Amino acid sequence: MRFYIETLGCQMNVLDSELAASALIRSGLTPAKDKFDADVILFNTCSVRQHAEDKVYSALGRLKVWKDKKPCSVLGVIGCMAQKEQKNIFHRVPFVDFVLGPGSLDALAETVHQLLDEKVSGSRQAKKIVTALNRKGSLHSDLVESYRLYNPDRTQNTAERQSNRETAHPALIRIMFGCNQFCSYCIVPYVRGPEQSRMPEEIIAEVQSLVRQGVSKITFIGQTVNSYIYRDGGKTVKLADLLYEASKITGLEEIDFVTGYPKGVDETLLQAVRDLPKVLKHFHIPAQSGSDNVLKRMNRHYTAAEYRELTDRIYSVIPNSSLTSDFIVGFCGETDEEFEKTVDLVKYCRFRNSFIFKYSVREGTKSAEIYEDDVSEAVKKYRNNRLLEVQKQGACQS
Ligand code: SAH
Ligand code: SF4
Ligand code: F3S
């Protein structure tokens, strides 16, 4: 039996697809080169903007022919949309067999095999939903337990990556799960669950094992990677400590980390980045807006002046560092004056690159509940293009 995984969304999903592929290979399935040759197709999905969800629904719709031709096949939706949409997916695409959220990946192989067996034996075929608890209305301890940390062996894929080393991307290592920031526009805390930092020994052992298999570049990933904190008795381990530990590994050449949050970038972290030759002098720290009013409505806990000070601090400690950022334009109530403040910030900070997104309402988030999406599509588009232009003109080349 062959499987195919289509991945959308951020690096969290890229990593999850890699882990899922490994688990499926270990369970006896083979990767299919072509999607339509597969017996099992999985969509690893993203919910961050409406457009990302629309893309999945239309791609799923196009699989009807494949599904009709292969009655014993299994179609699954995994990733953030699975957690957010749950049974809505079956309503919109009735031939989907299961949905399984990012906190339940450890149950993936078993779920796929159960469904394949049911299909082959012709027994009753029930749709399956495997998700973590909903963040709203659940007890914190139950919630944490329901988002199960998932770090299985991924030897099989690493071997593949190794055969392709020239073009290989850095290996992704998750150091923390979830997010506790609750930016008012963002669905991530609801679909990825509460913040949980992984045990440092486990992270370093994973890096060592990957390096033994030929990996030379790694990226530590987390939604707010600089809030990584692991407490064990009297000992506290932070991101800077992980960078020092990983740097000691012979054979490892390059270390990067994403995504940063503008609060809590402390001196120790800056010094670690400055002093450790293996660590890239790069910070991806999304500002989102340059207007204090908008930042307040977004529930980001800093002002534009504080963000500027942060970039000043980074450039003064590490003059050759490169900064990248994300921005949302057309957030609820954003006036021309407020948008101009974002333009000013982009001009000031000399980002190497900025990723610019038009605000997209996410049902279930605070901003969807309390604000109106009152900036027209035309204005969002104009501001998006304008900011891109400003970014291009002011881009720092380092
Ligand atoms: N954890 C990261 C990134 C999360 S999602 C962070 O905190 O910055 C990646 C980017 O998508 C965000 O930085 C934001 O710019 C954008 N984004 C998130 N929700 C959005 C929404 N509802 N509409 C438009 N863009 C959004
Ligand atoms: Fe979303 Fe904010 Fe968390 Fe980033 S920090 S994932 S934007 S809630
Ligand atoms: Fe999308 Fe989930 Fe990442 S919503 S941006 S795939 S954490």
Side-chain angles (χ1 to χ4, degrees):
M1 292 283 185
R2 281 167 296 185
F3 71 93
Y4 188 92
I5 307 180
E6 184 130 347
T7 308
L8 297 109
C10 69
Q11 284 174 318
M12 290 290 160
N13 273 8
V14 173
L15 173 60
D16 283 342
S17 287
E18 191 184 328
L19 300 179
S22 253
L24 293 177
I25 292 169
R26 268 199 315 278
S27 77
L29 301 185
T30 328
K33 290 237 160 16
D34 183 78
K35 179 158 69 182
F36 298 104
D37 287 342
D39 307 287
V40 178
I41 297 183
L42 303 178
F43 270 83
N44 195 1
T45 57
C46 173
S47 281
V48 81
R49 282 170 288 278
Q50 187 58 42
H51 178 65
E53 291 195 355
D54 294 344
K55 250 178 28 195
V56 170
Y57 277 123
S58 48
L60 286 171
R62 288 196 295 275
L63 288 178
K64 177 92 174 68
V65 179
W66 166 80
K67 201 72 172 97
D68 288 345
K69 261 197 208 149
K70 288 192 171 205
C72 288
S73 61
V74 168
L75 177 60
V77 175
I78 62 174
C80 298
M81 243 176 103
Q83 181 66 36
K84 174 173 169 283
E85 293 285 279
Q86 304 191 5
K87 61 179 183 312
N88 287 343
I89 294 175
F90 299 134
H91 293 153
R92 300 235 346 223
V93 192
F95 52 91
V96 166
D97 297 294
F98 74 97
V99 298
L100 183 142
S104 313
L105 272 178
D106 55 348
L108 178 68
E110 194 193 328
T111 305
V112 167
H113 281 279
Q114 224 175 45
L115 282 161
L116 280 171
D117 291 348
E118 281 175 17
K119 300 237 167 181
V120 172
S121 67
S123 55
R124 198 180 67 89
Q125 289 156 25
K127 306 260 175 212
K128 287 196 169 37
I129 301 188
V130 192
T131 50
L133 292 174
N134 290 334
R135 189 143 193 190
K136 278 183 187 160
S138 300
L139 261 181
H140 185 75
S141 52
D142 296 344
L143 194 61
V144 168
E145 228 165 85
S146 77
Y147 279 90
R148 298 190 293 273
L149 308 191
Y150 181 64
N151 309 291
D153 174 52
R154 47 174 147 157
T155 321
Q156 311 267 7
N157 302 62
T158 312
E160 259 176 43
R161 188 190 304 117
Q162 213 176 331
S163 67
N164 191 19
R165 264 185 80 187
E166 298 307 304
T167 54
H169 294 294
L172 303 173
I173 318 275
R174 185 163 16 224
I175 63 169
M176 55 187 300
F177 292 74
C179 182
N180 284 349
Q181 289 297 335
F182 289 102
C183 303
S184 65
Y185 51 81
C186 186
I187 197 71
V188 172
Y190 302 97
V191 291
R192 288 271 164 180
E195 200 176 294
Q196 300 181 64
S197 291
R198 269 178 84 191
M199 195 193 283
E201 291 78 9
E202 202 185 292
I203 296 169
I204 297 301
E206 190 177 358
V207 180
Q208 281 166 334
S209 143
L210 286 164
V211 169
R212 273 197 300 276
Q213 292 157 31
V215 164
S216 60
K217 298 177 183 179
I218 59 161
T219 304
F220 284 144
I221 61 171
Q223 296 299 345
T224 54
V225 79
N226 51 315
S227 37
Y228 174 89
I229 186 157
Y230 192 88
R231 292 192 185 87
D232 190 9
K235 206 176 71 179
T236 300
V237 181
K238 299 188 74 178
L239 175 61
D241 303 305
L242 288 182
L243 296 176
Y244 280 107
E245 272 316 299
S247 281
K248 292 181 197 155
I249 299 173
T250 315
L252 182 63
E253 290 163 15
E254 204 175 279
I255 309 167
D256 197 4
F257 55 90
V258 286
T259 298
Y261 187 78
K263 285 283 246 211
V265 180
D266 56 23
E267 293 314 305
T268 333
L269 178 61
L270 294 187
Q271 283 158 13
V273 175
R274 181 194 61 197
D275 296 341
L276 295 168
K278 293 181 182 179
V279 177
L280 291 185
K281 314 304 174 218
H282 164 231
F283 296 85
H284 179 63
I285 307 184
Q288 311 297 0
S289 169
S291 150
D292 290 348
N293 291 336
V294 174
L295 287 169
K296 210 172 210 166
R297 293 201 291 279
M298 286 179 164
N299 196 32
R300 303 281 289 185
H301 301 278
Y302 53 87
T303 61
E306 283 167 340
Y307 189 89
R308 279 190 171 83
E309 279 159 26
L310 168 66
T311 61
D312 291 346
R313 217 152 34 90
I314 295 175
Y315 286 133
S316 84
V317 179
I318 315 156
N320 61 342
S321 57
S322 76
L323 258 60
T324 52
S325 179
D326 295 349
F327 288 94
I328 297 177
V329 295
F331 185 64
C332 310
E334 186 185 63
T335 62
D336 287 341
E337 292 74 34
E338 286 168 345
F339 171 67
E340 286 307 319
K341 300 227 155 99
T342 303
V343 170
D344 292 344
L345 186 76
V346 170
K347 285 182 181 160
Y348 182 87
C349 293
R350 294 176 285 133
F351 296 112
R352 190 190 67 202
N353 198 4
S354 291
F355 301 90
I356 300 159
F357 307 103
K358 291 179 285 180
Y359 171 62
S360 166
V361 184
R362 308 319 292 132
E363 198 191 321
T365 60
K366 202 83 201 156
S367 67
E369 261 169 42
I370 61 174
Y371 301 122
E372 203 184 324
D373 178 23
D374 54 0
V375 178
S376 72
E377 186 56 29
V379 171
K380 284 180 184 170
K381 210 168 177 176
Y382 167 77
R383 290 180 186 168
N384 193 343
N385 290 338
R386 168 108 202 281
L387 205 56
L388 270 175
E389 209 40 55
V390 173
Q391 165 59 41
K392 241 193 265 164
Q393 279 164 13
C396 173
Q397 300 308 318
S398 67

